[in-house]
Amino acid sequence: MTPKTPSESLTVLTDLVLPSEINHINNLFGGELLSRMDRAASISAQRHSRNIAVTASVNHVAFTKPILLGSVVTIEAKVSRAFNSSMEVYIDVWVEDRLSGEKTKANEAIYTFVAVNELGKPVLVPAIVPETPLEQERFEGALRRKQLSLLLAGKIKASEATELKALFV
């Protein structure tokens, strides 16, 4: 299987925050943002694997800045690392200033997807070859994040979390 670059899975969704999507203080509902991020990440994982991709977990979400009613929101999702059948997708959320057009990072998230066939059975996915320093940083961190997740779930022993051990030795 030929490795791919993160840019090959890039998915960009841009949308407007409408009145039906806000809470009582005029901020975008967190669940609405999670849904939008899941949609973008799903497309990214499908582009990478060229298979059906299902959400396995939401590993990290940071609601750093509120997203106000009327804001233009851009969600960028890319596969940051691929394992056997799973893919980590890193998502950046940007808010555009209506007057200047300047974009500010408002949130980020990390989701895990699994590529499956029509019967729902996991299938192998291509490896990732990072191109930029940020992609390299996210690629390297993905294995640590995966090991931590497996360790916390009781699926591996601490002695098997070699990438995590390296941080402390």
Side-chain angles (χ1 to χ4, degrees):
M1 211 175 281
T2 305
K4 294 183 175 182
T5 63
S7 61
E8 292 177 82
S9 68
L10 175 64
T11 300
V12 179
L13 298 179
T14 301
D15 206 352
L16 187 64
V17 177
L18 301 173
S20 64
E21 302 164 333
I22 60 169
N23 60 26
H24 61 285
I25 56 172
N26 291 330
N27 294 336
L28 180 66
F29 276 117
E32 175 65 31
L33 182 59
L34 289 169
S35 176
R36 292 180 187 194
M37 290 188 294
D38 191 43
R39 197 170 302 118
S42 173
I43 294 167
S44 180
Q46 288 182 47
R47 283 182 172 160
H48 179 76
S49 68
R50 290 294 165 206
N51 281 287
I52 299 164
V54 296
T55 310
S57 64
V58 177
N59 306 330
H60 167 75
V61 178
F63 295 107
T64 311
K65 296 184 179 183
I67 300 174
L68 303 174
L69 173 63
S71 295
V72 174
V73 179
T74 300
I75 297 171
E76 297 177 357
K78 285 192 220 179
V79 174
S80 50
R81 187 152 185 171
F83 297 96
N84 292 323
S85 60
S86 68
M87 297 157 280
E88 180 188 89
V89 180
Y90 213 103
I91 304 144
D92 295 304
V93 179
W94 304 89
V95 176
E96 185 177 324
D97 182 273
R98 288 187 290 271
L99 298 176
S100 70
E102 182 182 336
K103 289 184 178 180
T104 304
K105 188 168 179 180
N107 301 292
E108 67 180 18
I110 303 170
Y111 283 44
T112 298
F113 282 80
V114 174
V116 298
N117 62 20
E118 286 75 16
L119 300 174
K121 301 293 181 196
V123 295
L124 295 176
V125 298
I128 281 283
V129 179
E131 297 176 293
T132 69
L134 179 60
E135 289 171 356
Q136 184 65 39
E137 177 185 317
R138 290 177 174 181
F139 177 87
E140 290 170 2
L143 183 54
R144 290 188 296 274
R145 289 186 289 273
K146 180 178 181 176
Q147 286 185 355
L148 178 59
S149 179
L150 292 171
L151 181 64
L152 292 173
K155 295 182 179 181
I156 64 171
K157 297 176 185 170
S159 61
E160 297 171 301
T162 55
E163 291 296 310
L164 293 175
K165 282 172 52 174
L167 293 174
F168 301 102
V169 176

